[in-house]
Amino acid sequence: GVDLRVRMRIAHPDDVAPLEAVARELASAGKWSARQRKDAIIGVRIMLGIQDDGRAPIRASEVEALRDIDMAVWSVIEVLAAAGALIEDRTPSIDAWFHERVDPLPEPMASELRTWFEVMKNGSSAPPRLRPRQEHTIRLQFA
């Protein structure tokens, strides 16, 4: 994990300004409170402050460290994603859920279920074609 208190430095205003503008746009469009907007901007500043070069892109897994100092993570991730400054490196919960259930199963059953899961999650362009399915659909069909 990332220890925010150890690696902190002041982010350069030129690096922060574009992301603050995105935060303000999202706040007004999403009807965030003034507090939510302020927290998102502070969170973005903190995340830029712990980067080696003080610039984005920033890994989503590093943004999760804001929880350790009781800051909202979702708004910072939303700002960074909207600005194209987010690297989504977190494991989707559906992946962890699936592997927890399938990994203990014997082969070739587990292998066939992994293939099924990949097709359900990502779709398939090869016949028979299939569009990706929603997480709740995958969970229901797996059950």
Side-chain angles (χ1 to χ4, degrees), residues 12-143:
H12 192 277
D14 291 345
D15 298 330
V16 175
L19 294 172
E20 286 184 5
V22 170
R24 285 189 196 86
E25 283 179 35
L26 288 172
S28 63
K31 308 232 186 305
W32 295 355
S33 69
R35 174 71 184 197
Q36 288 171 315
R37 184 188 73 238
K38 179 181 171 195
D39 285 351
I41 290 170
I42 290 170
V44 166
R45 286 179 182 172
I46 291 170
M47 295 316 302
L48 288 175
I50 64 169
Q51 298 304 305
D52 291 335
D53 64 358
R55 296 201 157 106
I58 297 170
R59 297 184 183 285
S61 59
E62 290 180 345
V63 178
E64 294 284 340
L66 291 173
R67 291 186 204 287
D68 296 342
I69 58 171
D70 295 324
M71 295 216 49
V73 169
W74 68 270
S75 58
V76 175
I77 286 179
E78 195 169 328
V79 169
L80 294 171
L86 182 72
I87 299 170
E88 182 54 77
D89 64 337
R90 299 173 295 177
T91 301
S93 64
I94 187 75
D95 289 3
W97 173 88
F98 178 79
H99 290 292
E100 182 179 293
R101 283 153 182 78
V102 171
D103 288 349
L105 297 175
E107 291 296 333
M109 182 187 291
S111 178
E112 289 180 18
L113 284 169
R114 285 186 204 99
T115 300
W116 171 85
F117 177 70
E118 289 303 317
V119 169
M120 293 296 287
K121 182 179 161 201
N122 302 316
S124 173
S125 59
R129 288 173 176 76
L130 183 71
R131 282 181 280 192
R133 301 298 184 213
Q134 298 285 331
E135 282 189 25
H136 66 273
T137 301
I138 295 171
R139 290 176 194 261
L140 285 172
Q141 289 189 5
F142 182 80

